[in-house]
Amino acid sequence: MPTSQATTPSHNQLDTKAQAWSALFSEPMSDLVKRYTSSVFFDKRLWQADIAGSLAHADMLAAQGIISASDHASIQRGMAQITAEIESGAFEWKLDLEDVHLNIEARLTQLVGDAGKRLHTGRSRNDQVATDVRLWLRGEIDLIGDLLKELQVALVDVAAQNVEVILPGFTHLQVAQPVSFGHHMLAYVEMFKRDAERMADVRRRTNVLPLGSAALAGTTYPLDRERVAKMLGMVDASGHPVVCQNSLDAVSDRDFAIEFTAAASLCMVHVSRLSEELIIWMSQNFGFIKIADRFTTGSSIMPQKKNPDVPELARGKTGRVVGHLMGLITLMKGQPLAYNKDNQEDKEPLFDTVDTLKDTLRIFAEMVGGQLNPATGKKEGGITVNAPAMEQAALRGYATATDLADYLVKKGLPFRDAHETVAHAVKAATTHACDLSELPLAVLQGFHPQIEKDVYECLSLRGSLNARNTLGGTAPAQVRAQIARHQARLAV
Ligand code: ARG
């Protein structure tokens, strides 16, 4: 009767009691709580790691005589089918089953019966999820390593084509000294090289096995954790298995996720700095470079516009990744040992960090270096350099003033006095609205009698560039040596 249904709110709960966690629970979760606590719609991306971890665990359980060989075979068969189902899109992910782990385990039991129920022997979702995230992240770090390499190769290529191109180097965004555009590109190569090193270092601490720690205290079964680690490739450089040494730490540690996001943030900061320069360089007031049209957009009202949307978005997305770092580090700060459900919140920031970084690196490698044209075997459509505009800009702003000071030092003046003398010369040139190199010799000699005709060599942009021939300096000879070093390092 409708009236009795309306007055008996527990009716529904009784009907769905079977969906409660276990016999211990007197009522199931409400839909709202289910939605709030479930993670399956984002953590399902861990499925391959989850299955790999389960297969390694089952293999070890069988080797240790904890489950039978036939149960092991059933688990393998079930997992093969689940893999096929997920790959083909046929797998039905259920919100009711909370997360990727329970979804896969429930399907396994449906397929192979009791063997599926035995898989969870000596294991908890706490060590399971920690293992899955580490395995997944390890694979992503490897992909990011490849992308960082591609971006470095693209930057080295641009550097190699522009060793002799001179642009004004800035400090405080004021013209400072002439530098080779190749040298400028190599500054970013150094940054991305460090990023790659940081990623490799994070990988070492990520590639450690939590599984076998069970819920928090270890387990009563005679597990062989090192066997599992070996099977999952969680080994050090000499092939020895690397296993988390404290069960409490193993299930609750997310340092690797924070470290990764910190390394990703720094990498994005480097991309963001490069973006800022590309944006400035392609503005009409500079006109130093162009990027291919496919990385820009027009305006709906101003027909003349070509906006650098890709670098601008990368600069913006840097804030997003740094935000994820803040999120993750704050997630951990108040947690008592060992596992807490808070940790489920590690996934979305981590996933989004990986997605954002990978897309950004991929797009930048292409935007900077261009795309391979299979017909010519050459890359096309990378950044285009306007060398005359760069040189013209370097001629405005007295970029060679330091060279004049150095010239006087070589004639015996103390540097501070030379600095002051040149300041007077710059002031005079400003009054005449000309470059230092355009001041007649007689005028220059008025500032110091030891100035001779050879001064014009050091006042030229090229002379200034060539003179900075110390290790790490901008002289073309140095830049070429650096390019060769990077090319050797990056060679596949
Ligand atoms: N979905 C959970 C997570 O991401 C898995 C671990 C759940 N463990 C637990 N005891 N509730 O952290």
Side-chain angles (χ1 to χ4, degrees):
M1 276 166 64
T3 44
S4 79
Q5 270 183 14
T7 53
T8 319
S10 62
H11 177 83
N12 241 0
Q13 294 165 358
L14 291 174
D15 269 354
T16 53
K17 191 162 179 208
Q19 288 173 20
W21 257 97
S22 72
L24 185 66
F25 292 76
S26 59
E27 57 175 4
M29 277 181 180
S30 72
D31 283 346
L32 177 60
V33 175
K34 262 189 222 163
R35 255 199 295 123
Y36 194 72
T37 56
S38 84
S39 53
V40 63
F41 290 113
F42 52 82
D43 68 16
K44 65 181 174 188
R45 79 155 78 185
L46 298 174
W47 71 269
Q48 275 165 313
D50 194 68
I51 290 177
S54 288
L55 287 174
H57 183 66
D59 164 271
M60 180 274 295
L61 290 178
Q64 296 295 97
I66 301 168
I67 62 169
S68 70
S70 92
D71 280 344
H72 181 208
S74 300
I75 290 170
Q76 287 178 314
R77 179 170 48 82
M79 286 304 195
Q81 173 156 350
I82 291 172
T83 301
E85 286 175 2
I86 297 175
E87 279 174 348
S88 72
F91 191 90
E92 199 190 328
W93 298 99
K94 294 188 183 128
L95 182 86
D96 277 359
L97 290 169
E98 197 181 308
D99 58 23
V100 60
H101 324 291
L102 294 179
N103 267 269
I104 291 178
E105 193 186 329
R107 178 69 181 138
L108 181 70
T109 301
Q110 216 176 40
L111 290 170
V112 304
D114 281 356
K117 294 188 196 162
R118 294 204 175 94
L119 172 63
H120 214 52
T121 313
R123 184 177 82 167
S124 151
R125 272 190 301 156
N126 299 348
D127 56 346
Q128 188 179 355
V129 68
T131 303
D132 290 4
V133 178
R134 284 171 183 262
L135 282 176
W136 172 83
L137 186 59
R138 181 184 71 184
E140 296 297 327
I141 289 174
D142 290 342
L143 296 177
I144 288 165
D146 294 344
L147 292 170
L148 276 167
K149 192 170 171 179
E150 266 177 53
L151 179 54
Q152 289 179 77
V153 168
L155 287 162
V156 171
D157 283 352
V158 174
Q161 288 153 24
N162 293 282
V163 175
E164 300 282 350
V165 172
I166 298 176
L167 86 159
F170 294 111
T171 60
H172 315 271
L173 205 58
Q174 308 286 313
V175 172
Q177 290 171 357
V179 292
S180 143
F181 187 64
H183 192 56
H184 200 114
M185 290 291 99
L186 292 186
Y188 286 98
V189 175
E190 294 291 337
M191 293 179 226
F192 293 121
K193 171 176 179 277
R194 288 194 297 273
D195 289 327
E197 288 164 2
R198 258 185 291 276
M199 286 293 171
D201 198 43
V202 173
R203 188 193 195 279
R204 265 196 313 116
R205 278 182 297 279
T206 301
N207 199 27
V208 182
L209 181 79
L211 208 61
S213 302
L216 75 165
T219 179
T220 55
Y221 302 95
L223 304 187
D224 180 354
R225 298 185 61 209
E226 297 199 331
R227 182 188 175 100
V228 177
K230 268 193 198 155
M231 217 174 150
L232 293 173
M234 289 178 144
V235 293
D236 64 18
S238 36
H240 295 122
V242 198
V243 168
C244 297
Q245 298 291 314
N246 180 294
S247 59
L248 293 164
D249 179 51
V251 293
S252 61
D253 170 49
R254 294 295 182 272
D255 287 3
F256 64 94
I258 294 173
E259 277 190 64
F260 168 79
T261 311
S265 296
L266 193 42
C267 183
M268 285 297 292
V269 165
H270 297 148
V271 170
S272 187
R273 294 182 70 187
L274 176 58
S275 298
E276 175 68 5
E277 301 217 89
L278 296 177
I279 294 162
I280 291 175
W281 289 342
M282 64 184 284
S283 77
Q284 284 77 6
N285 294 339
F286 279 72
F288 287 4
I289 61 153
K290 279 200 179 108
I291 58 174
D293 281 358
R294 64 184 182 284
F295 301 105
T296 64
T297 58
S299 154
S300 54
I301 175 169
M302 297 168 283
Q304 86 282 15
K305 294 280 269 184
K306 228 181 238 181
N307 296 324
D309 282 28
V310 166
E312 286 175 309
L313 260 178
R315 198 174 52 186
K317 284 176 191 288
T318 303
R320 169 179 174 147
V321 171
V322 173
H324 292 326
L325 172 61
M326 294 306 119
L328 283 175
I329 208 158
T330 312
L331 171 70
M332 297 310 292
K333 80 171 268 297
Q335 286 194 48
L337 289 176
Y339 176 87
N340 301 281
K341 184 76 168 180
D342 311 40
N343 283 349
Q344 183 165 291
E345 286 290 305
D346 65 354
K347 315 257 168 345
E348 287 162 295
L350 188 60
F351 294 168
D352 189 66
T353 297
V354 164
D355 293 344
T356 306
L357 182 61
K358 275 167 53 186
D359 284 349
T360 305
L361 292 175
R362 202 170 280 139
I363 209 164
F364 265 66
E366 195 196 313
M367 188 171 68
V368 169
Q371 244 177 345
L372 193 72
N373 178 346
T376 60
K378 282 193 178 151
K379 282 193 184 171
E380 287 167 12
I383 58 176
T384 322
V385 173
N386 184 346
M390 287 186 186
E391 289 206 13
Q392 221 28 63
L395 287 170
R396 292 191 303 266
Y398 309 104
T400 58
T402 317
D403 297 87
L404 182 54
D406 289 344
Y407 175 90
L408 291 170
V409 167
K410 279 170 200 149
K411 300 268 174 180
L413 255 74
F415 183 78
R416 287 293 168 209
D417 294 342
H419 183 279
E420 188 57 16
T421 303
V422 178
H424 287 294
V426 168
K427 204 170 170 185
T430 315
T431 319
H432 292 97
C434 70
D435 185 47
L436 284 176
S437 62
E438 288 163 344
L439 289 176
L441 185 60
V443 175
L444 285 170
Q445 281 170 336
F447 296 111
H448 204 278
Q450 272 177 288
I451 295 179
E452 286 160 59
K453 227 171 98 200
D454 64 349
V455 74
Y456 290 105
E457 167 59 15
C458 88
L459 287 181
S460 77
L461 294 179
R462 217 151 287 281
S464 166
L465 207 68
N466 289 334
R468 284 178 172 69
N469 199 12
T470 41
L471 178 63
T474 193
Q478 293 295 333
V479 178
R480 285 203 180 88
Q482 294 292 342
I483 288 169
R485 181 176 67 87
H486 288 302
Q487 282 171 338
R489 177 177 68 77
L490 293 164
V492 193

